[in-house]
Amino acid sequence: MQKKQQNKRGPFRGFGIYIIFALILLGSFFFINNLFKPDEPDKLSVSELITKIEAGDFNRAELVLNPVVTDSNFYHVKVYQKIDGKSKVTYDFYISHKNFTEEIETILTSENIDFIYKERSGVSFWDVLSIILPIIMLVILAVFIFRSMSGGGANRQAFDFAKSRARLASTKSITFKDVAGCNEEKQELEEIIDFLKNPRKYVEIGARVPKGVLLVGAPGTGKTLLAKAVSGEAHVPFFSISGSDFVEMFVGVGASRVRDLFKIAKENSPCIIFIDEIDAVGRQRGAGMGGGHDEREQTLNQLLVEMDGFNPNAGIIMMAATNRPDVLDPALLRPGRFDRQITIDLPDVKGREAILEVHARNKKLEPGISFADVSKRIPGFSGADIENLLNEAALLAARHNRKIINLEDIDEAMDRVMLGPAKRSRKITDKERKIIAYHEAGHAVIGLKLEGSNIVQKVTIVARGQAGGYNLMTPEEETFLESKTSLLARITGYLGGRVAEEIVFKDVTTGAYQDFQTATKIARAMVTEYGMSDLGPIQYESNSGNVFLGRDYLKEKNFSDQIALEIDKEVRNIVTQAYDQAYDIITKNRKLLDTISYYLLEMETLTKQDIDEIVETGKLIRHEQKNNNSASQEKDVDET
């Protein structure tokens, strides 16, 4: 159910409204007072009145003693005249001198005009209303302010504190057409949507739709986007909420919100409930160094009961997303609750191409850009990474005041996403620059000459992040499995930079730090996890430790100290053999190493086409043309 946004301006949030309300009441009072108050007659002097009385224009008069004035001889005189058979007040005035009053009495008597004396009550109805009404309005205003500061507003917030925070999806802007690279996952969800639209088809055959669907995958793979697409495709209410919205510091609030959520869902069934990042509330109970967490565990218990407990929830389908399925409670994953898990992997090359096409819909790209080629150069990118890639390319094009995005923008965006912006202002000596060039050229030579190695896509000596340069190498064909040959080739490729430094400069630097780290990690995994060594097909280490205590602290080790020594020897042998192989390859291809490093120093960046041209011809035509043009320009200047 769509909740109104809570006003966060404090207890005085309605004070301005009350002031306006009070001003409207006061204005209304004065308007009514002026509307119904009798018209005040014209004033007349005593001499003028006597003249009119003698002329016979009046038939009755009143002399009213006004007690409001301290002088008891002060009279309020009203003179009436017959108009259309009715007496109407024509003139009234005040007389404060007794002689004038006696004179007027004499004249009235002589003219046969009736006159009477009256005593005024002191205060009229309008006088009383003008005093009491403002006081009443001020009292009402004070009551409203007091209630807003302490009573009514706080009580309402207290009652709403345990209400569900779920939001009802009101838009259908995202559909399955906006989700690419997840064809099988969409088919699973289409079955759920079809059941909600046509449940009879499934009930007649005796099928039971899954009560819960858990979307599992790495960050950025599109779990939440798929859930939004379900909202766009389904014609049923779709309630979305985050797992952290259930957990509060007060025990029992989360469970109350779960009950309220399912109560609302039952009133709107058939419907879908989507919980994003469910691991915030669905963690395994009773785990951790300090024991359990009462509030989260009670919330989880209530969620378990609502999903599959004493009361059936027909027509309610629960969807959830997480990238930590290993920390979820087993009771939450059993059949009858989340009895269907949909794993969303990182997209393959075709999936990345489709995602590029989706995110390029609202961007102006240069004709001829091949998404197939771009997708091959970004293995391991998630959907969020690809969206960020094209956005960075668009920002780069706008920064250079271009109307369309070209291939250079996309290349630069790839480098920025993977390693950060180029640091051309970093101070590097000529010797360091030459070492970096030979280091990256060493990686490239291994990639070019070692069978089973990855293909060199790009080599650069432009510093980015912590790297002085980098070598982009991708597999020739993406595979689901890694072979021992490919792993050894990767280790050899990582060691190519250090080998090139040693051969050329007879010295080594710290530039191969990250290369050694990655190579050692792969070699140790081959020995302890993959069974790719002389120690046999035995798994000595695994990452099945208690996730609540930290994976690095409790990495499970099933071996003795003697086996640990043998593991270290095997890892050393693998790395050493790869190093020797890299040394042999680079020694045999020293000329290619020198050529690539030379053009790197000249051009700073070499693409796959440039490297292929260097391997085939031994030179780079675009560099030679550049030198020829420069020489021609210098000659023209000299002649001039």
Side-chain angles (χ1 to χ4, degrees), residues 35 78 89 92 95 122 151 190 233 238 244 347 349 354 381 383 409 412 414 489 499 510 512 547 562 605 629:
L35 183 64
K78 290 184 179 182
V89 176
D92 70 337
I95 299 178
E190 284 175 351
E233 295 286 342
F238 187 92
S244 60
V349 61
F381 271 44
D409 295 326
E412 177 65 19
M414 289 181 192
V499 171
T510 59
V547 294
Q562 179 63 32
T605 300
N629 293 335

Side-chain angles (χ1 to χ4, degrees), residues 41-283:
D42 298 332
K43 296 296 188 289
L44 190 67
S45 66
V46 176
S47 59
E48 292 175 343
L49 178 64
I50 293 174
T51 302
K52 289 184 176 294
I53 291 175
E54 292 176 348
D57 294 338
F58 306 102
N59 61 352
R60 187 166 64 86
E62 293 181 0
L63 281 74
V64 183
L65 180 63
N66 193 347
V68 176
V69 184
T70 56
D71 188 357
S72 60
N73 294 325
F74 189 89
Y75 287 91
H76 182 196
V77 180
K78 290 184 179 182
V79 182
Y80 293 84
Q81 181 183 14
K82 274 192 174 181
I83 300 176
D84 298 331
K86 295 182 180 180
S87 296
K88 187 176 181 180
V89 176
T90 305
Y91 301 104
D92 70 337
F93 54 91
Y94 295 103
I95 299 178
S96 59
H97 197 283
K98 188 175 181 180
N99 293 332
F100 285 169
T101 305
E102 294 176 352
E103 183 180 358
I104 292 174
E105 290 179 1
T106 303
I107 295 174
L108 292 174
T109 304
S110 62
E111 296 294 334
N112 295 322
I113 298 175
D114 296 334
F115 66 92
I116 58 175
Y117 284 97
K118 288 185 178 181
E119 284 192 10
R120 187 177 179 184
S121 61
V123 181
S124 66
F125 168 75
W126 291 106
D127 294 333
V128 175
L129 186 63
S130 63
I131 295 173
I132 294 178
L133 186 59
I135 296 175
I136 294 175
M137 288 189 295
L138 289 175
V139 171
I140 294 174
L141 181 62
V143 171
F144 272 108
I145 294 176
F146 178 77
R147 290 186 61 188
S148 66
M149 292 177 61
S150 59
N155 290 334
R156 286 191 295 270
Q157 291 178 2
F159 282 111
D160 291 341
F161 189 67
K163 295 291 185 182
S164 170
R165 304 291 180 88
R167 295 170 293 275
L168 178 63
S170 57
T171 60
K172 297 182 179 180
S173 58
I174 298 178
T175 62
F176 281 156
K177 294 180 180 179
D178 302 310
V179 182
C182 306
N183 297 329
E184 293 79 8
E185 292 82 355
K186 287 191 290 186
Q187 290 178 1
E188 294 287 332
L189 294 174
E190 284 175 351
E191 180 181 294
I192 304 251
I193 296 173
D194 185 55
F195 173 82
L196 292 171
K197 293 180 178 179
N198 187 18
R200 180 177 298 180
K201 179 175 68 174
Y202 296 88
V203 173
E204 290 179 350
I205 202 173
R208 176 184 65 83
V209 74
K211 293 184 178 180
V213 178
L214 183 64
L215 303 177
V216 178
T221 50
K223 300 182 295 297
T224 305
L225 183 65
L226 269 175
K228 291 180 180 179
V230 171
S231 171
E233 295 286 342
H235 299 291
V236 295
F238 187 92
F239 299 95
S240 61
I241 190 172
S242 173
S244 60
D245 288 335
F246 291 108
V247 182
E248 294 284 351
M249 65 178 294
F250 303 107
V251 178
V253 174
S256 177
R257 289 178 179 175
V258 171
R259 288 190 293 269
D260 186 63
L261 172 62
F262 277 86
K263 178 183 176 183
I264 297 172
K266 290 177 184 177
E267 295 172 355
N268 294 273
S269 64
C271 66
I272 297 175
I273 299 175
F274 174 67
I275 303 178
D276 198 9
E277 304 296 345
I278 194 174
D279 51 273
V281 68
R283 288 196 170 206

Side-chain angles (χ1 to χ4, degrees), residues 444-456:
V445 170
I446 298 298
L448 292 169
K449 297 300 181 179
L450 179 60
E451 185 178 355
S453 182
N454 292 341
I455 298 176
V456 180

